[in-house]
Amino acid sequence: MSSVFSPVVHGEVMLSLDNVFDPEELRAWCERTARLAGVASESLAYVVEPKIDGLALAITYDDGELVRAATRGDGRVGEDVTDNVRTITNVPRTLAGVTGRLEVRGEVFLSHADFAALNERQRALAQKEFANPRNAAAGSLRQKDPSVTASRSLSFLAYQLAPLATTLSCTTHLDTLDQLASWGFLTAPEALRVVGESGVLSRSEWFETHRHDFDYDIDGVVIKVDDLALRETLGATSRAPRWAIARKLPPEERTTRLLKIEVSIGRTGRATPFAVLEPVVVAGSTVALATLHNQDQVALKDVRPGDLVIVRKAGDVIPEVVGAVREPGRRRAKAWHFPSTCPECGAALERRGDESDTYCVNPACPAQRLAQIVHFASRSALDIEGLGEQRVAQLLALGLIDDVADLFFLRVDDLIELEGFGALSANALVTAIAAAKEAPLSRVLVGLGIRHVGPVAARELTKRFVTYDALEAAPLEALEAIEGIGPVIAGSLYAYLREDETAARLVRLRAAGLTLREPVTDAPVSQTLAGRAVVVTGAVEGFSRDEAEAAVHARGGTSPGSVSKKTYCVVVGEAPGAAKVTRAQELGIPRIPASEFVTLLESGSWTATLA
Ligand code: IVH
């Protein structure tokens, strides 16, 4: 997916904000700022306002006419999203009485109510739900078709005015907010002018107490020097202004009752314990299930059914159970033990060697089948629109499919009468599946879920062996000889290609008309990450560590082992390094989920970051 949006070089760099994490750091920042400004600390005026968890946007007006809107991008170059922003109803198209050019900056977001309504629609359409309002807003803003953006009820909140070639009479930040409001922009009504560090501290505490009373997600408080002339004096570093600071609110933790512990089976057979909770709203969305990672983690946390537990979504969109709250005098249930058999098929659950994970040993396990087919249809593989987990489960339960190959034999007539389907959706699904027959061989290989064969390896393999037949006929040594393919990947693929089940599946995929061929292109890999440092931490599905680094390098980037001010972004995989994640948080470096890695490689950008 290369970006469909043209790059926009910002007239004035869109800076980020430095962060503080507790009241002491905030106090120290106030003192330092007053000293640098040459003002007594107790008399310096600030405005304290909410830090909205959305996406920064710069909107340019020429002689009062909206002419362009751009995302922040890397601060220097963003993406032109003008057509989409024109559909946001609370963005004024014209500003009365303005001459020359000016730029309004602020945040695009989805209110809680609009987020809930959007996810309800997604559910009704059997489409994937959004994890949180921020990701939903990002996805909605970056739509190719503005009418889709228009249907998403985005809002914009303005907090900054950059007169690039015009003069305005604002002398304070509060004046600016008043000016913006008089043009019809939404500004934060809670933005309040306070004096001195005591004012700053008590107002930020107010925000902390009321963080859930907002109609949108806030992930902190922004404190800004009110006097615009003083801001000029204070200036900025290359990354952030010295006149403002973000006080990050601690990751939200909630307590709720743990109803039971269950085990889910993934496509490789991995058994993951998870907590079934009394539903609780954490950081803007309702959480009823939370991961417990693995057997050792459950034992370590010693959480038991009936316990009051702490739940959070720290640094990630995936909710997790932190631990149990002690309730003196309450009788606890017996310690929970990892089951020895698969809850889905009854086969044995086994731990391999010294791995911390446990696996269901039955390759025909229905839960594995479900996860395999969902993976086959997913974005990273054949990208079959409209074939999410719910639908795959429905088709499996009805016996309409049992294997990925069966998908290609589904007919409109099989689907049209099913619950949740109509003529339109049945046709759409069959068409989407038919389109996948032409998918490049590398995507088919990814979809088959062959151990160790991720997108990068699959592309390397199919560059050398363009058809399935050629790949199947290749001797082990020829596979190992391919650049980037070591004995582990080669061995795994070689064995997979020779399994009976694979042969049977291939007969059917061929009969269905899959081309099983890689389109040959001589185009060099586009340099989407030229000069950018991308730190990868934790496991990224489909990539070994070396593959992930090689993929970044192939696109002109570097992949240093630690996070610094110069880091472009941090890709956070499973079981990430805590130090890297914390450092990125401290420096305000974007942290992006591993599911965005392929998008990052292809476009140099991302559509979602971690909260
Ligand atoms: S002022 C130069 N004010 O936070 C100052 N930013 O972590 C630039 N944000 O990129 C930003 N609410 O997207 C400012 N009230 C607010 C904000 C805010 C959210 C975002 C903004 C910025 C990011 C920095």
Side-chain angles (χ1 to χ4, degrees):
M1 183 189 74
S2 66
S3 178
V4 293
F5 303 102
S6 333
V8 169
V9 180
H10 294 297
E12 208 172 288
V13 175
M14 288 183 81
L15 293 172
S16 187
L17 290 169
D18 283 333
N19 296 316
V20 291
F21 293 90
D22 58 45
E24 265 326 296
E25 285 179 335
L26 182 55
R27 190 186 293 281
W29 177 82
C30 289
E31 277 170 16
R32 198 169 55 245
T33 307
R35 203 170 49 245
L36 287 174
V39 179
S41 186
E42 274 314 310
S43 58
L44 185 54
Y46 303 88
V47 172
V48 184
E49 56 187 36
K51 185 170 188 306
I52 307 116
D53 196 11
L55 296 110
L57 189 72
I59 313 178
T60 310
Y61 291 84
D62 273 344
D63 293 332
E65 286 296 319
L66 190 164
V67 290
R68 201 179 66 190
T71 61
R72 176 170 182 272
D74 62 4
R76 202 177 53 80
V77 184
E79 285 180 320
D80 188 329
V81 287
T82 313
D83 292 339
N84 290 344
V85 169
R86 283 191 208 276
T87 72
I88 304 178
T89 50
N90 80 342
V91 171
R93 300 288 192 87
T94 52
L95 310 182
V98 173
T99 51
R101 166 167 291 200
L102 63 79
E103 197 177 278
V104 175
R105 293 183 177 180
E107 206 80 355
V108 173
F109 66 96
L110 258 177
S111 73
H112 290 150
D114 290 326
F115 173 66
L118 172 60
N119 265 352
E120 201 162 304
R121 275 206 319 260
Q122 295 289 101
R123 262 197 303 281
L125 297 169
Q127 300 280 323
K128 206 169 166 211
E129 290 179 46
F130 293 99
N132 56 44
R134 189 183 186 288
N135 287 359
S140 304
L141 190 63
R142 296 183 81 262
Q143 287 290 328
K144 285 181 227 161
D145 178 358
S147 69
V148 178
T149 309
S151 72
R152 297 281 174 87
S153 306
L154 291 172
S155 303
F156 177 73
L157 183 140
Y159 50 65
Q160 206 180 347
L161 191 54
L164 302 179
T166 183
T167 39
L168 288 158
S169 55
C170 304
T171 58
T172 66
H173 184 56
L174 267 196
D175 287 349
T176 310
L177 294 179
D178 283 347
Q179 175 65 268
L180 288 166
S182 75
W183 282 325
F185 286 100
L186 167 70
T187 55
E190 305 79 11
L192 194 72
R193 183 177 189 272
V194 295
V195 179
E197 59 191 62
S198 52
V200 166
L201 284 162
S202 68
R203 188 62 184 166
S204 25
E205 252 169 52
W206 180 90
F207 275 101
E208 188 164 349
T209 319
H210 290 87
R211 66 188 289 184
H212 304 303
D213 301 344
F214 289 78
D215 188 28
Y216 43 77
D217 279 355
I218 72 170
D219 61 342
V221 184
V222 187
I223 298 103
K224 299 173 175 174
V225 169
D226 190 33
D227 185 317
L228 300 184
L230 263 189
R231 287 190 182 183
E232 295 291 324
T233 314
L234 288 163
T237 66
S238 62
R239 227 188 64 80
R242 288 196 194 85
W243 46 261
I245 195 85
R247 149 94 162 102
K248 292 288 231 171
L249 297 179
E252 192 184 2
E253 293 189 341
R254 282 292 158 105
T255 54
T256 189
R257 210 42 86 181
L258 172 62
L259 302 177
K260 54 184 173 175
I261 299 174
E262 294 193 340
V263 168
S264 75
I265 306 293
R267 83 184 147 84
T268 57
R270 186 165 73 191
T272 307
F274 64 95
V276 180
L277 305 164
E278 220 161 74
V280 60
V281 176
V282 188
S285 61
T286 305
V287 172
L289 305 173
T291 183
L292 285 161
H293 302 290
N294 58 42
Q295 182 173 13
D296 297 345
Q297 283 291 316
V298 185
L300 194 72
K301 290 174 177 162
D302 187 24
V303 285
R304 307 179 187 186
D307 282 356
L308 194 61
V309 291
I310 302 166
V311 183
R312 72 165 173 215
K313 287 201 275 182
D316 207 336
V317 286
I318 301 166
E320 64 169 6
V321 172
V322 182
V325 181
R326 284 181 49 116
E327 295 174 281
R330 189 181 149 268
R331 250 182 102 87
R332 299 179 74 198
K334 282 204 292 271
W336 182 81
H337 289 293
F338 209 88
S340 56
T341 55
C342 172
E344 301 286 341
C345 71
L349 287 183
E350 282 178 4
R351 253 174 105 150
R352 297 182 191 148
D354 55 4
E355 276 189 49
S356 53
D357 289 322
T358 308
Y359 291 86
C360 164
V361 297
N362 172 18
C365 170
Q368 290 187 45
R369 291 267 164 199
L370 170 68
Q372 283 160 6
I373 301 174
V374 171
H375 170 73
F376 187 75
S378 72
R379 255 176 74 180
S380 61
L382 278 97
D383 199 10
I384 303 175
E385 178 109 25
L387 195 59
E389 180 163 347
Q390 246 180 341
R391 283 212 168 142
V392 174
Q394 183 185 19
L395 299 175
L396 273 170
L398 293 169
L400 285 168
I401 55 170
D402 182 46
D403 182 75
V404 294
D406 300 329
L407 293 171
F408 298 98
F409 295 94
L410 286 172
R411 291 164 310 144
V412 173
D413 285 351
D414 297 329
L415 305 174
I416 204 157
E417 299 295 335
L418 303 184
E419 204 187 317
F421 278 96
L424 216 61
S425 51
N427 267 300
L429 183 55
V430 170
T431 310
I433 294 173
K437 292 182 189 172
E438 311 286 329
L441 176 61
S442 55
R443 281 188 174 261
V444 179
L445 292 180
V446 171
L448 292 174
I450 308 162
R451 221 165 165 224
H452 304 300
V453 181
V456 172
R459 273 199 290 272
E460 291 304 330
L461 288 160
T462 54
K463 247 196 272 171
R464 170 72 185 80
F465 297 104
V466 178
T467 64
Y468 187 89
D469 291 343
L471 199 62
E472 195 180 28
L476 183 60
E477 304 74 53
L479 297 177
E480 281 180 0
I482 299 173
E483 168 107 13
I485 306 291
V488 176
I489 300 176
S492 169
L493 175 68
Y494 189 80
Y496 176 86
L497 295 174
R498 277 153 189 78
E499 283 168 15
D500 290 345
E501 203 190 346
T502 310
R505 181 180 280 160
L506 252 293
V507 168
R508 307 208 58 227
L509 289 176
R510 282 207 173 94
L514 267 78
T515 50
L516 300 173
R517 165 182 286 279
E518 191 72 5
V520 182
T521 56
D522 294 330
V525 181
S526 79
Q527 299 296 291
T528 47
L529 296 171
R532 288 166 168 170
V534 175
V535 173
V536 180
T537 173
V540 177
E541 191 176 342
F543 295 83
S544 68
R545 175 154 299 268
D546 289 349
E547 281 178 348
E549 289 184 359
V552 171
H553 292 162
R555 287 159 184 80
T558 57
S559 47
S562 61
V563 179
S564 76
K565 278 198 306 214
K566 298 203 181 101
T567 305
Y568 177 56
C569 66
V570 178
V571 177
V572 183
E574 203 172 311
K580 287 182 187 148
V581 175
T582 316
R583 185 86 184 119
Q585 261 169 326
E586 281 168 9
L587 294 171
I589 307 287
R591 287 163 293 123
I592 67 169
S595 55
E596 289 278 322
F597 188 55
V598 172
T599 305
L600 173 70
L601 296 175
E602 289 177 350
S603 68
S605 183
W606 49 84
T607 57
T609 53
L610 297 174

